[in-house]
Amino acid sequence: MFNFNFKFLKRSGIEINDSYIVSDQYIETKALQFAINAGIDIIASLLSKCEFRIYKGSSLNKSDTWYLFNVEPNKNENASSFWRKVFHKALIDDGALVFQIDSEFYLADSYTMNEPNSIFSQRTYSNIYTNGNQVFKTFLEEDVFFFNLKNDNINSLMIELYGHYGKLLSSSINHIKGRKARKWIFKKDNAATGIGGIKVDVKSEEEDQTSKTNDSVKRFVESDGTAILQLGNGKTLEDKSSLATSDTRDARNLLNDVFDIVCIGLHLPKKVFYADSLTDDEFVALMTFIDPMIQAIEDECNRKYYGKRVLNGDKIKIYRNKVKYIDIFSSAQKLESLFRIGFSFNELMNYLNEEQIDEEWANERFVTKNYMRYADAMKGGE
C-alpha cells in the first residue's frame, strides 16, 4: 500500500500550484507529481471495478444494500466514479472518510479527526465538508468508513531516490532549451560611433545609442513574423546559433527513469502506463499488490456495516475478477476444465462478468468420472 503526501514537498519549501514560476525545482517536482498521480489513478480505477457482493447467510443477495454499494451510493453519483474518488483520496491523502446520511454514502472533502483521550474510546469526526457543503454533525468511528491505504516508508524513499534523477531531468531540459535558442553577435565598428563620422567621446551619448540599438536588435530576433532591422554604417548582425538539431530523447529517457521509480514504489508494471496488455505473470504480480488493499477495504466495510453479524454469514465480499478483461475464446479450454470439476454454468458466466441464467440446469454441477472417489472406483464399473 502506498501514500504520497505532497505536504512533504511544501515542508521542503516547494510550493505546488499551476502559477509556479518555471525553475529547476519546479521541473523536478512536477515530473514526479505527474507520474505518481498517473499511477495512483490507475490503482484507484482498478479498485473501483471490483464488485461489492452482499451475502445474507451463505446466499448472494442483490438487495438495496447491493444497489447502494454497486450502482448508486447517492443521488448525484454512480458507484464507479464515487469509489474511484474514494480510493484515489485514500491512496494520495491521509485517508478517505465516507459517511452515511439518509441511507446514502458521501465522501468528505475535508474533516477534523478527533483523537480520544483514552485508547478505549472511539475517534470522532467533525467539521466535515463535502462538495462545498458543511455537514453539521459529529460522527463516531463506528458510524463511518475510513480508508487509509498508505505506506510512509515508500513515500520518503521514493522522494529520496528521485532527488538524483530530478536534477538530471531539469538539467537535460534546460540543455535542450539552450540548444534550441538562437544566438546572435552584434558587431559595431568603433569608427562609426559619433556624429557626422567624427568620433565623440561622450559616455552618456554612447550608452544611449547602445541602448536604442540593443532594443531594436532584441525586437528583431524575438519577432515571430517578418521583421526588418535597420543598421547603420559599420554595424553587422551575425547568427551564431548551433546547427545541431534539438533532440529530446535524453530528457524522455530521464522521464522514463522517473516512471520506473514510481512503478517500483507503487508495484505497478510499467505497461499499465501505456495501456499495454499484461502477461499472466505481470497481472498476478499486480494483484499481489492490490489484494491487501481490497482486503483492507472489505474488512473496514464488514466491521462497520455488519459488525458481528458476519459470524452468521451476513457480509460484504469484494469480487476481484472484474478487474481483468477476460477473452472468452482464449479462456474456453480453461472454462471447460473448470466445468468438468464441478463449477456450474452460472458460476462460469459470473466469472466472465456475464448475466446468469435463471434456469435450474444452469446451477447444476457435473463432475467427470476421472475425479470419482477412490472408494467408488474400487466398486468397479466404467
Side-chain angles (χ1 to χ4, degrees):
M1 302 178 200
F2 173 79
N3 171 65
F4 182 84
N5 192 343
F6 291 113
K7 292 177 182 177
F8 178 90
L9 298 175
K10 292 187 177 182
R11 288 198 299 270
S12 302
I14 305 174
E15 285 293 328
I16 307 298
N17 57 66
D18 294 336
S19 60
Y20 194 89
I21 298 174
V22 177
S23 64
D24 288 352
Q25 226 176 12
Y26 176 83
I27 293 171
E28 296 167 19
T29 303
K30 280 295 184 181
L32 181 61
Q33 182 182 356
F34 171 75
I36 289 176
N37 266 306
I40 292 296
D41 195 55
I42 289 169
I43 296 173
S45 297
L46 291 174
L47 291 173
S48 68
K49 289 173 66 67
C50 295
E51 177 189 357
F52 291 83
R53 291 194 168 181
I54 311 301
Y55 286 86
K56 188 169 183 60
S58 58
S59 302
L60 186 62
N61 184 25
K62 282 198 172 183
S63 59
D64 290 342
T65 302
W66 181 90
Y67 184 85
L68 177 67
F69 275 88
N70 293 287
V71 181
E72 187 183 61
N74 61 65
K75 294 182 179 67
N76 297 315
E77 293 178 283
N78 61 63
S80 180
S81 62
F82 175 79
W83 290 114
R84 182 173 178 173
K85 288 196 303 183
V86 170
F87 299 141
H88 192 282
K89 193 172 183 65
L91 285 159
I92 209 166
D93 286 345
D94 293 327
L97 178 70
V98 176
F99 59 95
Q100 192 171 18
I101 292 181
D102 295 333
S103 300
E104 294 186 344
F105 290 146
Y106 296 92
L107 172 64
D109 297 328
S110 63
Y111 55 88
T112 299
M113 178 190 290
N114 308 297
E115 292 290 347
N117 295 327
S118 169
I119 193 173
F120 303 107
S121 302
Q122 294 189 56
R123 295 189 192 94
T124 60
Y125 298 88
S126 59
N127 197 29
I128 297 172
Y129 284 84
T130 181
N131 199 26
N133 299 304
Q134 185 173 5
V135 179
F136 296 98
K137 181 178 180 180
T138 298
F139 291 87
L140 294 173
E141 177 70 35
E142 64 184 10
D143 297 326
V144 299
F145 296 141
F146 187 74
F147 302 107
N148 194 353
L149 310 174
K150 69 178 181 179
N151 188 321
D152 292 327
N153 290 330
I154 294 179
N155 180 19
S156 58
L157 288 173
M158 187 156 55
I159 292 174
E160 182 180 351
L161 177 60
Y162 172 75
H164 303 290
Y165 282 95
K167 292 180 176 61
L168 289 173
L169 176 62
S170 60
S171 176
S172 177
I173 292 174
N174 287 333
H175 177 65
I176 291 170
K177 290 166 64 178
R179 291 172 64 185
K180 186 177 179 181
R182 301 191 68 182
K183 298 175 177 62
W184 303 77
I185 292 180
F186 177 66
K187 295 182 177 180
K188 180 180 67 172
D189 186 355
N190 287 335
T193 305
I195 303 174
I198 302 174
K199 187 174 180 179
V200 179
D201 190 16
V202 181
K203 186 176 181 180
S204 60
E205 181 179 346
E206 185 175 346
E207 289 177 348
D208 183 57
Q209 290 294 331
T210 300
S211 176
K212 290 180 179 179
T213 302
N214 288 342
D215 289 342
S216 299
V217 171
K218 185 174 184 294
R219 288 195 298 270
F220 171 74
V221 298
E222 291 181 350
S223 174
D224 293 330
T226 302
I228 298 175
L229 176 65
Q230 183 177 1
L231 296 173
N233 294 332
K235 299 176 182 178
T236 58
L237 191 63
E238 186 176 346
D239 189 354
K240 286 294 184 180
S241 303
S242 172
L243 297 178
T245 304
S246 171
D247 191 353
T248 62
R249 282 179 297 180
D250 290 341
R252 290 176 63 184
N253 288 336
L254 287 170
L255 278 172
N256 285 335
D257 288 342
V258 174
F259 275 91
D260 286 340
I261 293 171
V262 173
C263 286
I264 293 171
L266 297 181
H267 300 273
L268 284 175
K270 195 171 181 180
K271 287 182 178 179
V272 300
F273 281 101
Y274 303 99
D276 292 336
S277 299
L278 300 180
T279 64
D280 289 342
D281 289 342
E282 287 170 335
F283 183 75
V284 169
L286 175 62
M287 290 307 298
T288 300
F289 169 64
I290 290 181
D291 262 340
M293 295 185 185
I294 295 175
Q295 189 61 54
I297 295 164
E298 187 177 292
D299 290 344
E300 179 72 359
C301 290
N302 277 318
R303 79 185 189 96
K304 300 288 185 65
Y305 201 83
Y306 285 112
K308 289 190 175 181
R309 280 189 291 163
V310 297
L311 300 175
N312 300 322
D314 295 350
K315 62 185 178 183
I316 294 172
K317 190 166 182 63
I318 298 179
Y319 189 61
R320 296 154 168 80
N321 281 0
K322 290 191 175 182
V323 171
K324 183 181 180 182
Y325 169 75
I326 300 172
D327 182 5
I328 188 172
F329 297 104
S330 62
S331 303
Q333 187 173 355
K334 297 176 182 178
L335 294 172
E336 183 185 5
S337 299
L338 292 173
F339 187 76
R340 289 203 305 263
I341 62 173
F343 280 77
S344 70
F345 180 85
N346 272 341
E347 285 175 326
L348 297 180
M349 291 292 284
N350 186 63
Y351 173 76
L352 294 171
N353 299 323
E354 298 290 345
E355 291 295 325
Q356 299 185 23
I357 298 175
D358 189 17
E359 296 286 346
E360 185 176 346
W361 64 265
N363 294 311
E364 292 180 1
R365 301 179 184 274
F366 298 87
V367 180
T368 65
K369 290 189 176 181
N370 294 331
Y371 301 102
M372 62 192 307
R373 292 180 180 178
Y374 175 77
D376 294 336
M378 294 301 292
K379 293 178 183 178
E382 296 183 3

